[in-house]
Amino acid sequence: PEKCVVAVDGPSGSGKSTVSRRLATAVDGVYLDTGAMYRAITWAVINGGADLNDPDAIAKIALETELSIGTDPAAPHFAANGTNVDEAIRGPEVTGAVSAVAAVPSVRKHLVALQKAIIAGHPRIIVEGRDIASVVAPDADLKVYLTASAAARAARRSAENSADVAATEADLARRDKLDSSRAVDPLKQASDALEVDTTGMGIDEVVAHLLHLLNSKV
Ligand code: C5P
């Protein structure tokens, strides 16, 4: 298709990243990982020594941070204030703090504006996050809400970073709770998003299914 904006939302470990990157490659489009944007800002906040209980301090650093946002689905590199953060943003420190940073309203406002600008500049883009269908791209051509059982999500995530399955499941549950219960733009399925439960589905199967949905929509 000439133009296609696809919103992929869902909880942590539902397969959003892998599926979104594959889908972007398949439609010869770009990929926007909004979670990586919140993570890169969190890295800068930690690096700047801000108190994570102080929303004003978090917001100040967040708005001063210069982000470089990679959208190549084969290599979506991120930098914050000129430092590559691809590895650091996947580490436990950032993962532990990101939901608190993402709950600060002015941080969200700032990043949502950046996300909208990036989407406006790309006719074919797959955008993954928590609030894409509802807030960032309400006019998306296709909106999917990826889910999977807690056990399946933890198994996938721990295979990715060779962490303990039980600890991973606990961390996913902790972030889901924070992300679903925050006051501003919480994680929830948009009324017009199609739910795809990926439990027991392979990546190829999920990508094929989404391509099928996309082709029937655009
Ligand atoms: O997708 P990922 O696990 O990398 O996202 C990290 C965190 O960023 C989430 O747990 C959530 O707190 C936040 N996030 C968000 N809104 C988005 C994407 C991510 O609040 N659109």
Side-chain angles (χ1 to χ4, degrees):
E2 196 65 9
K3 174 197 165 285
C4 80
V5 175
V6 179
V8 181
D9 291 300
S12 311
S14 57
K16 296 188 303 290
S17 300
T18 312
V19 165
S20 299
R21 289 174 69 170
R22 290 273 302 269
L23 197 59
T25 303
V27 301
D28 196 19
V30 301
Y31 160 66
L32 180 60
D33 180 354
T34 65
M37 294 174 69
Y38 288 96
R39 287 172 180 271
I41 288 291
T42 301
W43 177 87
V45 165
I46 294 170
N47 218 40
D51 175 356
L52 290 167
N53 296 309
D54 181 349
D56 293 335
I58 291 174
K60 183 169 186 296
I61 293 182
L63 272 72
E64 284 170 355
T65 301
E66 194 206 314
L67 283 186
S68 162
I69 299 157
T71 57
D72 176 353
H77 297 303
F78 273 67
N81 298 324
T83 301
N84 177 281
V85 294
D86 292 336
E87 263 185 48
I89 61 174
R90 305 296 161 192
E93 227 190 331
V94 167
T95 300
V98 63
S99 293
V101 173
V104 177
S106 56
V107 171
R108 302 201 69 79
K109 198 174 162 208
H110 174 59
L111 291 188
V112 167
L114 279 179
Q115 290 154 14
K116 288 188 173 192
I118 293 169
I119 294 167
H122 291 93
R124 284 197 305 282
I125 185 165
I126 316 299
V127 190
E128 69 147 296
R130 302 289 188 291
D131 59 344
I132 309 306
S134 51
V135 177
V136 177
D139 298 329
D141 300 288
L142 176 67
K143 299 176 176 181
V144 290
Y145 191 80
L146 286 192
T147 59
S149 70
R153 297 193 284 125
R156 283 178 194 154
R157 196 42 75 83
S158 62
E160 264 166 35
N161 51 23
S162 45
D164 174 71
V165 183
T168 304
E169 187 164 346
D171 178 64
L172 294 184
R174 179 188 66 82
R175 280 202 291 145
D176 288 350
K177 188 153 178 264
L178 288 172
D179 293 342
S180 310
S181 62
R182 68 169 173 243
V184 183
D185 305 341
L187 167 70
K188 66 166 189 305
Q189 184 176 351
S191 58
D192 55 351
L194 301 167
E195 181 172 344
V196 177
D197 184 341
T198 66
T199 311
M201 278 173 96
I203 290 293
D204 289 342
E205 213 180 329
V206 178
V207 173
H209 181 58
L210 296 192
L211 277 172
H212 173 76
L213 290 175
L214 187 59
N215 288 327
S216 61
K217 282 250 176 182
V218 295

